């Protein structure tokens, strides 16, 4: 159909069905030659003698339609006036407009060849638009080809819609797979970073543990030296300590004897003054005997022992001090060794914890690698499916184009069959 009348074709649906229906408007939209051919096919018996004149009308409109020529289908008021004048129908402007109004069936202020022929020959519009065209066998063949082409086009269109839907689905799946792969790659990168951090922490913990072990060994060595020094000091002090302790024991024994003497004396003195006559006299006699004993040897022994003990203490003093200092050094070394041992144990625990964390990070990284590999495989599979779907859609596009071409060829064939003037 001519592009000029596409707008008018839409408006024709609301016009009176008998005279202004879509069939009439569609006929008026055909090129001039097609309109005249249709008219002659419809009224060949009645207008066989007018065929030459009708072709003259056709050729004149093609000539006057400077814009569209043989592809045109209708002319404006001015051109219609020139057309009518050319065939001896001289009219004034008002008469022309009145006549054009009578001729212009669809009221678009233009005149098609069909509208003029209907008006000029007072033709039956209903018969015209429904009249069979061309050779019957050719038309039936063309209609059969057109139906087949239309069915093929419908199938190709359905296949294309399904292919596009499938391509859309697999494209979405590909996008989801790509997003999952990106997420898996990010998780793998994070797992690798965590593993590197855990390895660094483990290395630091191992270094700290080694330092703690070294410090503990040094503390043990220092403690061993301090113990040896303490043992040596004790060994040097030992004879002097033994002599001093022996004198202390002797002095303690003498003091005990003196205390016993004084205690007995006090008891007898008290007993001689208290109680009965007999007990007092007996206590006095015992006291007299006790006092008659010479206390000088005991006192002399005490003085001698005290002097010997002080002399022994003086001789022992530097050895005792050395021993005490060695003990202090050893105790300090022991404390340092115990602290170093505790530090080493803590470092071992931290290193063990760091190793455990590193192993967990390594496992997480391996798991992330596996997930990333799986996601990459899924993405590659989705890409392959999308490529297949795109190929299928392209093939469906080509099939639709081929079907459209076949449909157009069938339409053209039918149109040609209809536009062929049937010789009856």
């Amino acid at each position: 159909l001519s592009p000029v009348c596409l707008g008018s074709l839409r408006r024709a649906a609301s016009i009176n069905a008998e005279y202004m229906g879509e069939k009439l408007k569609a006929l008026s939209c055909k090129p001039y030659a097609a309109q005249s051919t249709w008219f002659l096919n419809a009224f060949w018996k009645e207008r066989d003698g007018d065929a030459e004149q009708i072709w003259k009308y056709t050729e004149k409109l093609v000539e006057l339609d400077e814009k569209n020529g043989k592809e045109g289908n209708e002319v404006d008021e001015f051109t219609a006036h020139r057309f009518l004048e050319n065939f001896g129908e001289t009219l004034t402007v008002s008469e022309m407009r009145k006549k054009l109004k009578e001729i212009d069936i669809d009221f678009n202020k233009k005149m098609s060849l069909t509208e003029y022929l209907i008006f000029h020959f007072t033709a039956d519009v209903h018969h015209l638009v429904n009249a069979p065209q061309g050779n019957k066998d050719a038309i039936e063949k063309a209609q059969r080809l057109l139906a087949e082409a239309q069915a093929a086009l419908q199938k190709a269109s359905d296949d294309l819609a399904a292919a596009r839907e499938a391509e859309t689905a697999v494209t979405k799946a590909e996008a989801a797979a790509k997003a999952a792969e990106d997420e898996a790659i990010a998780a793998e990168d994070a797992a690798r970073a965590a593993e590197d951090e855990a390895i660094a922490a483990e290395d630091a913990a191992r270094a700290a543990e080694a330092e703690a072990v070294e410090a503990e060994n040094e503390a043990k060595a220092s403690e061993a030296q301090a113990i040896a020094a303490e043992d040596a000091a004790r060994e040097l002090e030992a004879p002097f300590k033994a002599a001093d302790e022996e004198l202390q024991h002797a002095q303690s024994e003498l003091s005990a004897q003196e205390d016993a003497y004084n205690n007995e004396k006090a008891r007898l003195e008290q007993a001689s003054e208290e109680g009965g006559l007999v007990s007092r006299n007996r206590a006095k006699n015992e006291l007299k005997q006790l006092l008659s004993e010479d206390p000088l040897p005991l006192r002399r022994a005490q003085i001698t022992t005290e002097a010997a003990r002080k002399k022994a203490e003086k001789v022992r003093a530097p050895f005792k001090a050395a021993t005490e200092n060695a003990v202090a050094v050893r105790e300090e070394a022991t404390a340092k060794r115990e602290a170093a041992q505790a530090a080493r144990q803590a470092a071992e625990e931290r290193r063990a914890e760091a190793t455990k964390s590193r192993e967990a990070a390594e496992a997480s990284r391996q798991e992330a690698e596996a997930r990333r590999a799986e996601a990459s495989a899924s993405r590659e599979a989705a890409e392959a499916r999308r490529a297949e779907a795109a190929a299928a859609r392209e093939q469906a596009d080509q099939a639709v184009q081929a079907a459209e071409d076949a449909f157009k060829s069938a339409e053209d064939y039918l149109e040609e069959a209809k536009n062929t003037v049937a010789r009856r």
Side-chain angles (χ1 to χ4, degrees):
L1 300 180
S2 170
V4 178
C5 63
L6 291 177
S8 298
L9 183 59
R10 297 188 183 93
R11 294 192 299 272
S14 62
I15 303 174
N16 185 279
E18 184 177 359
Y19 296 100
M20 309 301 172
E22 293 183 5
K23 289 185 177 180
L24 177 61
K25 186 59 186 176
L27 177 57
S28 293
C29 284
K30 293 178 178 293
Y32 299 119
Q35 293 184 49
S36 60
T37 299
W38 188 289
F39 188 88
L40 287 172
N41 279 334
F43 299 107
W44 185 258
K45 291 181 180 180
E46 298 87 341
R47 298 298 170 192
D48 183 21
D50 298 316
E52 184 175 351
Q53 184 62 34
I54 291 173
W55 285 118
K56 288 181 179 180
Y57 293 151
T58 304
E59 291 172 353
K60 179 52 68 175
L61 280 175
V62 170
E63 176 188 341
L64 294 175
D65 192 345
E66 297 177 356
K67 181 178 180 181
N68 300 305
K70 63 180 180 179
E71 297 299 325
N73 65 296
E74 60 186 5
V75 294
D76 58 20
E77 179 181 305
F78 177 73
T79 305
H81 187 267
R82 292 173 61 198
F83 172 81
L84 294 174
E85 282 184 340
N86 189 79
F87 292 102
E89 298 184 45
T90 305
L91 302 171
T92 64
V93 174
S94 60
E95 289 174 337
M96 172 61 200
R97 288 177 177 171
K98 181 178 180 182
K99 191 163 188 175
L100 181 61
K101 187 175 182 181
E102 295 173 355
I103 296 172
D104 184 16
I105 297 175
D106 61 1
F107 307 112
N108 67 346
K109 295 184 179 182
K110 292 184 179 182
M111 182 188 76
S112 69
L113 177 57
T114 297
E115 289 174 328
Y116 175 73
L117 294 175
I118 292 172
F119 175 80
H120 184 73
F121 292 109
T122 317
D124 184 344
V125 176
H126 185 271
H127 175 74
L128 174 63
V129 298
N130 292 289
Q133 299 292 304
N135 182 278
K136 181 178 180 182
D137 293 338
I139 290 177
E140 289 178 353
K141 177 183 177 181
Q143 289 175 337
R144 185 179 68 255
L145 293 175
L146 184 63
E148 292 174 355
Q150 187 171 10
L153 177 59
Q154 182 62 49
K155 182 180 184 304
S157 299
D158 293 342
D159 292 344
L160 177 59
R164 284 177 175 171
E165 184 177 356
E167 183 181 18
T168 300
V170 296
T171 299
K172 290 181 179 179
E174 180 187 15
K178 183 64 171 64
E181 181 186 26
D182 292 340
E183 184 178 350
I185 289 173
E188 181 184 13
D189 291 340
R192 287 185 181 278
E195 182 184 21
D196 291 341
E197 184 177 349
I199 290 173
E202 183 183 22
D203 291 341
R206 287 186 182 280
E209 181 184 18
E211 290 179 1
V213 170
E214 184 179 358
E216 182 185 18
N217 291 334
E218 291 177 356
K220 285 181 177 180
S222 297
E223 183 185 26
Q225 291 177 356
I227 291 172
E230 180 184 6
D231 292 342
R234 289 185 182 279
E235 186 177 354
L236 291 174
E237 183 194 10
F240 303 101
K241 180 182 178 182
D244 185 32
E245 290 176 348
E246 186 177 352
L247 289 172
Q248 287 180 3
H249 178 72
Q251 187 177 17
S252 298
E253 186 67 25
L254 291 172
S255 295
Q257 292 179 12
E258 184 178 6
D259 290 340
Y261 175 83
N262 291 331
N263 290 335
E264 181 65 13
K265 177 182 176 183
R267 185 186 69 78
L268 292 174
E269 287 177 348
Q270 183 179 3
S272 64
E273 296 177 357
E274 297 176 356
L277 179 61
V278 176
S279 60
R280 286 199 307 271
N281 289 333
R282 186 170 54 249
K284 287 178 180 180
N285 289 331
E286 291 177 0
L287 178 60
K288 184 177 180 181
Q289 290 178 1
L290 181 62
L291 292 174
S292 64
E293 296 178 359
D294 186 4
L296 185 59
L298 178 59
R299 290 177 182 175
R300 186 180 294 115
Q302 285 180 330
I303 293 171
T304 301
T305 302
E306 177 67 19
R309 189 185 64 79
K310 288 181 178 181
K311 183 178 180 180
E313 283 182 352
K314 186 176 181 180
V315 173
R316 178 191 173 192
F319 298 98
K320 181 180 180 181
T323 300
E324 291 173 349
N325 182 63
V327 170
V329 171
R330 191 266 305 157
E331 289 176 348
E332 183 179 358
T334 299
K336 289 182 178 179
R337 190 265 305 160
E338 291 174 350
Q341 185 177 5
R344 188 263 305 160
Q345 291 174 345
E348 282 182 352
E349 292 175 357
R350 286 192 294 272
R351 190 268 307 154
E353 187 65 28
T355 299
K356 183 178 179 182
S357 298
R358 189 264 305 158
E359 290 173 348
E362 183 178 2
S364 297
R365 187 260 305 160
Q366 292 173 347
E367 183 179 353
E369 284 181 347
R371 286 197 298 270
R372 191 266 307 154
E374 183 179 353
S376 296
S378 297
R379 187 259 307 158
E380 291 172 356
E383 285 181 348
R385 287 193 295 272
R386 194 262 306 154
E388 292 176 359
R393 190 260 308 151
E394 181 64 26
Q395 186 176 2
D397 277 331
Q398 294 173 358
V400 167
Q401 185 60 51
E404 288 177 347
D405 293 343
F407 185 78
K408 181 65 170 58
S409 298
E411 278 188 323
D412 293 342
Y413 182 75
L414 178 60
E415 191 68 18
E416 183 180 354
K418 288 181 177 179
N419 290 335
T420 301
V421 177
R423 302 297 177 180
R424 298 172 176 80

